[in-house]
Amino acid sequence: MFRRLRDQVSSAADAAGAALGITSEAERQLVSMGFPAEQARAALNATDGNVERAAELLLAGGGAAAPAPAPTAPVYGSAAAPIDVDDDDDDAVRRAIAESRAAEEERRLRAAQEESMGNANRARTAAMANAGRAALARFEEKSAKKTKKKANGRNDPVRRSNTAPPDFGSIRPPTSNSGGNGGIRMKSGGLTTHHPDVKVPKRMADKTKEEQLMRCADRLKPYPFAVDTLLVALQAVRKDPSNERYRKVDKTTVGYNNTLKDKPGAEDMLLAMNFHPHGVNELRLDRSMVDDALLYLAISALEKARESEEYKENKAKARFIRELNQIRCGGDNSEAEAIRRAEFMAKVVSEPAGGSGALIQLTLGEDVVRRRFDGDDVLRDVVNWIGGHGSAIPYKLASRDWCLVDINRYPPTPIDTQKNAERTLQYIGCWPSGRLEVQPSSEEWKKGSNPDLKGSSRGLGSAPTSELH
């Protein structure tokens, strides 16, 4: 559209110039500036055809005056007929062309900037990943040195023997400047002077980001579901950092309350990853604060925590508790299960009256149940009582998928429920009381191999530990 308008304006200008007797481009330029054609021609003759000097001469009023030509009636259809071109339309065309060019230049500039930022971000991501690997290597090297130093200190009797005893006479009583620290001044001349070998541990917030992340991962080992939840969340942030949903943690959700709430190190790890509180029940990570090096370090620390024995033991225990709860809740939903439990309870001997007998405390997952038995009651009676809480439990004890452990003994000892089924409670060490717990079996117990556990008899007339498994 703009090209067509420009062509019309140019044609009109050429026709108007021919009608006014304009014979050169220089005259046309001066006429387009608003000077009469005769004055423009005279100024060009006076300046030897120099357009700039002619324009200066005309602006200074030095051009030869010439009478304005008489207006001629336009003859439509003739090539020399002038076209009435509105100055406002001409200005609008010029502005439109200028705006179009400016918009195109801005678009190209923005595209170039985005491409440059993308290249920079890719380079920055690679650099941060390398920095994270280097930070992890430094921390592991430092931890190895500390462990080696402690081991050398424990295994060096000469060093311990040469250590001079503390000079208690040099300890001065608290002064008025000691404040409320019991006479131990934490600044210069205080604790470091009297006890140079004592180092006050740093607060979590005062440690480096590397130390905070490694410490939080170590504290989370006993909580496998917290480790798994944080690992999945941080991997999602690293995969798609632009997704705002991955950079928000709502502390009111059921998932957060079941896996992360009150778990030591969980929220501290998020804060070390540059999450910040937003209101009372939300944590947020700004896009500009996503640090690939910290993400790499935290994910590596959590993956290492999943390989620890502490994590594996607690993960197996959590699965066991879940299965045990499902079995115990089955009696509320199944009539057949209720009948099987009633059959087990029918085989249980009556409970002694008047508070006499042995009190047996049984731990089933997260619950504890209690009942009294006579001293001459046998282990089978206890197993039948356990079957009243879940008919599948006695079969799992017999197959050694699970085990019945006497936690009053040290070390805690699994009891072979088949071998000792007819042994009295006094013989197995549950008189005048006993603490039993159903636990998931170790691989050795599942395979039928009985570890050589040593332990004394518990109570008068009870068997040693080696006789019970």
Side-chain angles (χ1 to χ4, degrees):
M1 180 184 72
F2 293 134
R3 187 180 296 109
R4 186 164 57 251
L5 291 174
R6 185 179 57 194
D7 293 342
Q8 292 178 2
V9 172
S10 299
S11 300
D14 293 340
L20 295 173
I22 299 173
T23 58
S24 65
E25 180 65 25
E27 291 182 26
R28 184 176 294 105
Q29 292 182 15
L30 293 175
V31 171
S32 64
M33 296 180 188
F35 300 111
E38 293 296 332
Q39 292 183 11
R41 189 177 301 111
L44 287 171
N45 291 334
T47 58
D48 296 329
N50 191 315
V51 178
E52 294 181 0
R53 291 176 57 194
E56 293 176 358
L57 182 62
L58 291 170
L59 290 172
T72 58
V75 181
Y76 296 99
S78 172
I83 299 177
D84 187 10
V85 180
D86 193 351
D87 291 340
D88 293 338
D89 294 341
D90 192 11
D91 293 340
V93 170
R94 288 198 203 94
R95 286 195 300 271
I97 294 173
E99 291 174 359
S100 177
R101 290 178 178 175
E104 179 65 19
E105 290 177 358
E106 184 179 356
R107 185 190 65 78
R108 293 180 180 178
L109 179 60
R110 185 165 55 253
Q113 290 176 347
E114 291 177 355
E115 182 178 2
S116 176
M117 290 178 63
N119 295 333
N121 287 336
R122 286 191 291 272
R124 177 172 172 268
T125 300
M128 286 185 173
N130 293 332
R133 296 188 185 94
L136 181 60
R138 288 197 304 271
F139 186 86
E140 291 179 347
E141 182 180 359
K142 188 185 299 183
S143 300
K145 288 181 179 179
K146 289 182 179 179
T147 303
K148 184 176 180 181
K149 185 176 180 181
K150 291 180 180 179
N152 292 337
R154 288 193 298 268
N155 299 328
D156 189 2
V158 176
R159 180 179 178 183
R160 291 198 302 271
S161 62
N162 292 336
T163 303
D167 185 7
F168 293 102
S170 64
I171 300 179
R172 293 174 294 178
T175 63
S176 58
N177 295 329
S178 61
N181 294 326
I184 299 179
R185 291 171 291 180
M186 304 301 292
K187 297 184 180 179
S188 60
L191 181 62
T192 57
T193 300
H194 298 301
H195 306 281
D197 295 332
V198 176
K199 294 182 179 179
V200 179
K202 295 180 180 179
R203 297 183 307 165
M204 182 68 74
D206 295 335
K207 296 181 180 180
T208 64
K209 293 286 189 179
E210 302 170 15
E211 293 174 332
Q212 290 183 44
L213 292 175
M214 300 302 292
R215 175 60 180 148
C216 290
D218 186 66
R219 297 177 70 188
L220 285 167
K221 288 178 182 178
Y223 308 96
F225 295 121
V227 172
D228 296 342
T229 301
L230 286 172
L231 186 59
V232 171
L234 295 181
Q235 286 175 341
V237 174
R238 184 174 65 173
K239 184 178 180 181
D240 188 6
S242 299
N243 194 329
E244 187 178 1
R245 184 165 59 92
Y246 297 149
R247 293 184 282 107
K248 288 184 179 180
V249 177
D250 187 357
K251 295 194 289 186
T252 62
T253 60
V254 176
Y256 181 90
N257 289 312
N258 290 341
T259 59
L260 297 180
K261 184 180 180 181
D262 298 331
K263 302 301 185 293
E267 187 168 340
D268 289 335
M269 174 169 279
L270 293 173
L271 295 176
M273 294 298 302
N274 296 327
F275 279 83
H276 62 88
H278 184 79
V280 179
N281 296 316
E282 188 173 271
L283 297 175
R284 286 189 180 183
L285 174 62
D286 297 334
R287 177 64 181 88
S288 59
M289 297 301 292
V290 175
D291 192 327
D292 289 339
L294 293 179
L295 282 171
Y296 178 87
L297 186 60
I299 291 173
S300 300
L302 292 173
E303 289 175 343
K304 189 174 181 180
R306 295 178 76 176
E307 298 174 1
S308 65
E309 292 299 325
E310 193 172 4
Y311 170 89
K312 293 177 181 178
E313 291 176 3
N314 284 278
K315 187 66 175 287
K317 186 175 181 180
R319 292 173 179 169
F320 159 75
I321 291 176
R322 183 182 300 173
E323 184 178 1
L324 181 60
N325 289 337
Q326 290 176 352
I327 292 174
R328 295 189 63 195
C329 294
D332 299 333
N333 304 322
S334 171
E335 183 178 355
E337 171 66 13
I339 293 174
R340 288 192 292 267
R341 291 186 185 185
E343 292 175 353
F344 275 107
M345 293 300 295
K347 300 176 184 179
V348 180
V349 296
S350 59
E351 188 171 2
S356 61
L359 177 62
I360 302 299
Q361 176 179 298
L362 175 67
T363 301
L364 293 171
E366 298 173 342
D367 298 329
V368 177
V369 293
R370 297 175 179 84
R371 191 188 190 278
R372 292 188 176 273
F373 292 86
D374 283 319
D376 56 355
D377 291 336
V378 297
L379 182 60
R380 186 183 301 280
D381 297 324
V382 176
V383 173
N384 288 330
W385 172 54
I386 295 174
H389 296 278
S391 62
I393 301 177
Y395 299 105
K396 284 187 173 291
L397 294 176
S399 64
R400 293 202 171 195
D401 288 339
W402 296 350
C403 60
L404 185 64
V405 178
D406 183 358
I407 59 178
N408 271 337
R409 293 180 182 260
Y410 184 82
T413 307
I415 301 174
D416 190 338
T417 56
Q418 298 294 308
K419 173 183 173 181
N420 300 286
E422 302 302 327
R423 301 287 176 85
T424 63
L425 298 183
Q426 185 173 6
Y427 180 86
I428 66 175
C430 291
W431 181 269
S433 64
R435 294 175 62 206
L436 304 176
E437 182 176 354
V438 178
Q439 295 182 358
S441 299
S442 63
E443 292 299 325
E444 292 181 350
W445 187 259
K446 287 180 180 179
K447 293 176 182 178
S449 60
N450 299 329
D452 187 16
L453 296 176
K454 302 296 183 182
S456 61
S457 300
R458 184 183 178 276
L460 182 63
S462 64
T465 300
S466 57
E467 294 294 325
L468 298 179
H469 59 276

